[in-house]
Amino acid sequence: MPTANAQPLTITMHPQDNVAIVANDGGLPAGTVLPSGLTLTGHVPQGHKVALAPIAQGAPVRRYNVTIGYAVQDLPAGCWVSEKLLRMPDARGLDNLPISTEARQPLPPLEGYTFEGYRNADGSVGTRNILAITQTVQCVAGVTSFAVQRIKAELLPQFPHVDDVVALEHGYGCGVAIDAPEAIIPIRTLRHLSLNPNFGGEVMVVSLGCEKLQPERLLPPGTIPIADQREQTDLDVVCLQDDAHVGFMDMVQSIMRQAETHLIRLNARRRETVPASELVVGVQCGGSDAFSGVTANPAVGFCSDLLVRAGATVMFSETTEVRDGVDQLTARATTPDVAQAIIREMAWYDAYLQRGSVDRSANTTPGNKKGGLSNIVEKAMGSIVKSGSSPISGVLAPGEKLTQKGLIYAATPASDFICGTLQLAAGMNLHIFTTGRGTPYGLAACPVVKVATRSDLARRWHDLMDVNAGRIAEGEVTIEALGWEMFHLLLDVASGRQKTWAEQWKLHNALVLFNPAPVT
Ligand code: CA
């Protein structure tokens, strides 16, 4: 609860808004007089909305200068505007959207920023030097995991310049409709995952033998860029059903033997100074609350603009969390083609949700609502600000690989693990993740910088959260200053000079494929 002398603190996002959110830890009790003179008619929890003026039944409730809902009854000034008092607006249609009307001139370039990274044969740059073991099918996961434990214990200590060995485990490969049109999504996701910049182009595959997703279908000839001094060779595959394998330990030995050839090459690599434009940063949020769109996401948005100005790539995703702001996105597209690609991805996702008899409102969680987010419209407005203000210069469909720099809309579900997996497949070498409710999320393939939206969370989770954006709500730091702080932190983490908490504790969530195709 707030202490007796704590000043009541509310945050209004736009002068046209008729609600503000309460910032004080523990919320504010009935009878509190706000600095504006408004008296609260009842308790308002932290992160929840208070009516700044009387709102008549049926009138719009505005936050971010957007209608986030309509009042279901007359609301007096000073009352708690809970989710139950709002009716959600209908989704914005995909017709007659503004096309490239606000694609501003690019912001002035930022020059001279660098980090220490691993340069790859295909021109990409890794922030870590990891041996990844690709798998064609879930059947081999147990054997591969066993082998990886032995590789880590017996081989890795001999290769001090290699950071880790990671098995790319997943649930695909057999029992799936592999020729269905949408099967292209999980297949290209797996293909592009194994080519992530943090894996140094050293692709090795463990296959069962009888699976539908055969190694040559996963990685057709010519897919893997090879360093100049080496010949294009056959795909490196360990096939467990190979007649030569007699017993389990034989299979493990095969995997270890092949892993060693890759570890030798990875171990010879060294970091070199590269421009900040080689960063490929995926931004995401999870466990959002009403502060996500006030503190952490605006600071990430400012940092995203700095990265784009430095020539880097920034991906924002989570289709259901930006769907309600589609008009903002199409307006910011650099060209009509980019705007049409945004509309194409949104339309595909609308149809996908409809097939499952749900709509975008299925997104918000009980935790979101407890944290003050009434519905997906309010959540979306707070989510979009992660993308900053740069023009949107490209769009990726799920599982596609990046081919350009700048601010990219990479269409993915909002699920933290599916989004993270798809951003890794796109080529992400650094991840920023904002959270209000708190999640210990991490990825084995790439550093995850976690940003807390509230100081209370940052204090309690002091050894899980890398950045405390709650300081913005307390007036200790500006959005711009925190954006710069994050920008410098990203360069340090990318260079390996600093490790994220998830890396220190080795907290890794599973890779989760997005498979909209049938399972047989
Ligand atoms: Ca998410």
Side-chain angles (χ1 to χ4, degrees):
M1 293 301 289
T3 53
N5 57 1
Q7 292 301 311
L9 185 59
T10 60
I11 299 171
T12 310
M13 294 310 291
H14 191 276
Q16 299 295 320
D17 293 354
N18 56 10
V19 292
I21 66 162
V22 168
N24 301 76
D25 281 352
L28 290 173
T32 303
V33 180
L34 300 180
S36 64
L38 183 67
T39 303
L40 300 190
T41 62
H43 171 73
V44 182
Q46 186 191 37
H48 284 250
K49 293 176 282 296
V50 54
L52 298 175
I55 304 172
Q57 183 181 5
V61 173
R62 295 183 73 79
R63 196 171 163 223
Y64 299 100
N65 196 27
V66 163
T67 298
I68 60 166
Y70 299 95
V72 299
Q73 63 188 59
D74 288 340
L75 303 174
C79 81
W80 173 19
V81 183
S82 73
E83 55 158 297
K84 294 184 183 64
L85 299 176
L86 291 187
R87 180 175 62 78
M88 190 168 79
D90 293 333
R92 173 75 163 89
L94 294 177
D95 299 325
N96 305 316
L97 289 163
I99 303 294
S100 305
T101 47
E102 283 175 38
R104 285 155 256 193
Q105 286 297 313
L107 295 163
L110 261 187
E111 280 159 10
Y113 291 95
T114 61
F115 68 101
E116 304 298 309
Y118 294 98
R119 185 69 81 182
N120 295 316
D122 66 354
S124 68
V125 170
T127 60
R128 295 291 180 269
N129 192 28
I130 296 171
L131 171 63
I133 302 184
T134 298
Q135 298 167 57
T136 50
V137 66
Q138 166 63 216
C139 310
V140 304
V143 175
T144 309
S145 162
F146 187 96
V148 164
Q149 286 178 41
R150 287 209 31 204
I151 294 166
K152 284 188 182 186
E154 297 167 33
L155 296 179
L156 201 54
Q158 304 166 37
F159 302 103
H161 296 285
V162 181
D163 291 312
D164 205 358
V165 181
V166 171
L168 303 180
E169 183 181 344
H170 60 86
Y172 199 74
C174 203
V176 291
I178 201 163
D179 294 317
E182 286 169 343
I184 187 65
I185 293 177
I187 295 171
R188 73 183 170 208
T189 303
L190 279 173
R191 176 179 305 143
H192 295 152
L193 266 178
S194 55
L195 303 173
N196 181 277
N198 286 353
F199 304 151
E202 293 294 333
V203 178
M204 71 170 278
V205 181
V206 177
S207 149
L208 182 63
C210 60
E211 65 273 28
K212 286 184 182 167
L213 185 57
Q214 287 289 304
E216 301 73 28
R217 180 153 181 178
L218 179 61
L219 290 154
T223 316
I224 305 168
I226 302 286
D228 303 340
Q229 67 271 26
R230 279 191 283 139
E231 297 288 310
Q232 175 84 44
T233 51
D234 291 338
L235 190 59
D236 178 8
V237 180
V238 174
C239 176
L240 300 191
Q241 289 172 350
D242 198 321
D243 290 342
H245 287 136
V246 179
F248 169 55
M249 281 305 159
D250 234 18
M251 302 172 188
V252 173
Q253 285 303 332
S254 284
I255 296 171
M256 291 181 71
R257 194 168 50 242
Q258 287 311 112
E260 189 164 10
T261 64
H262 295 283
L263 286 170
I264 290 167
R265 284 198 290 265
L266 287 171
N267 196 53
R269 287 151 46 91
R270 294 293 179 272
R271 289 185 184 272
E272 56 187 281
T273 304
V274 295
S277 58
E278 300 296 354
L279 284 177
V280 181
V281 179
V283 301
Q284 203 201 152
C285 46
S288 298
D289 66 2
F291 285 95
S292 299
V294 177
T295 59
N297 291 352
V300 168
F302 188 85
C303 180
S304 156
D305 284 345
L306 296 177
L307 289 162
V308 172
R309 287 173 59 193
T313 308
V314 177
M315 288 182 279
F316 70 102
S317 299
E318 304 177 289
T319 298
T320 47
E321 295 184 4
V322 296
R323 172 66 179 80
D324 279 281
V326 61
D327 48 342
Q328 299 176 30
L329 303 185
T330 53
R332 285 168 60 194
T334 47
T335 67
D337 281 351
V338 171
Q340 290 305 330
I342 292 170
I343 295 168
R344 177 196 74 208
E345 290 305 317
M346 298 275 176
W348 185 91
Y349 213 87
D350 282 356
Y352 166 74
L353 291 178
Q354 209 170 15
R355 258 192 291 157
S357 302
V358 295
D359 63 21
R360 72 212 201 284
S361 65
N363 174 298
T364 35
T365 65
N368 291 156
K369 290 179 178 175
K370 195 166 175 232
L373 290 175
S374 293
N375 59 39
I376 187 61
V377 183
E378 185 175 18
K379 188 173 172 179
M381 296 311 136
S383 176
I384 283 178
V385 296
K386 291 200 298 296
S387 67
S389 61
S390 305
I392 299 167
S393 53
V395 176
L396 288 184
E400 284 183 341
K401 197 171 179 327
L402 284 162
T403 56
Q404 62 180 124
K405 293 179 186 284
L407 179 65
I408 307 292
Y409 169 54
T412 79
S415 153
D416 297 349
F417 328 101
I418 299 181
C419 172
T421 300
L422 290 168
Q423 288 185 338
L424 283 173
M428 168 169 73
N429 57 20
L430 207 51
H431 202 14
I432 307 183
F433 190 96
T434 67
T435 183
R437 307 291 305 164
T439 161
Y441 175 81
L443 294 172
C446 155
V448 179
V449 173
K450 287 204 292 298
V451 183
T453 70
R454 292 174 299 123
S455 294
D456 173 54
L457 174 68
R459 271 192 295 270
R460 285 186 293 113
W461 288 30
H462 58 90
D463 49 5
L464 289 167
M465 293 293 143
D466 300 290
V467 177
N468 175 18
R471 291 178 288 150
I472 292 171
E474 286 152 13
E476 282 178 26
V477 67
T478 62
I479 286 170
E480 294 76 11
L482 193 71
W484 273 107
E485 195 179 308
M486 273 193 251
F487 179 74
H488 289 292
L489 175 65
L490 291 180
L491 295 175
D492 284 344
V493 170
S495 303
R497 288 190 290 266
Q498 190 157 347
K499 288 220 172 351
T500 65
W501 280 114
E503 284 184 293
Q504 292 193 38
W505 300 124
K506 299 192 185 303
L507 299 181
H508 303 150
N509 285 104
L511 295 172
V512 181
L513 292 178
F514 181 38
N515 179 23
V519 173
T520 62

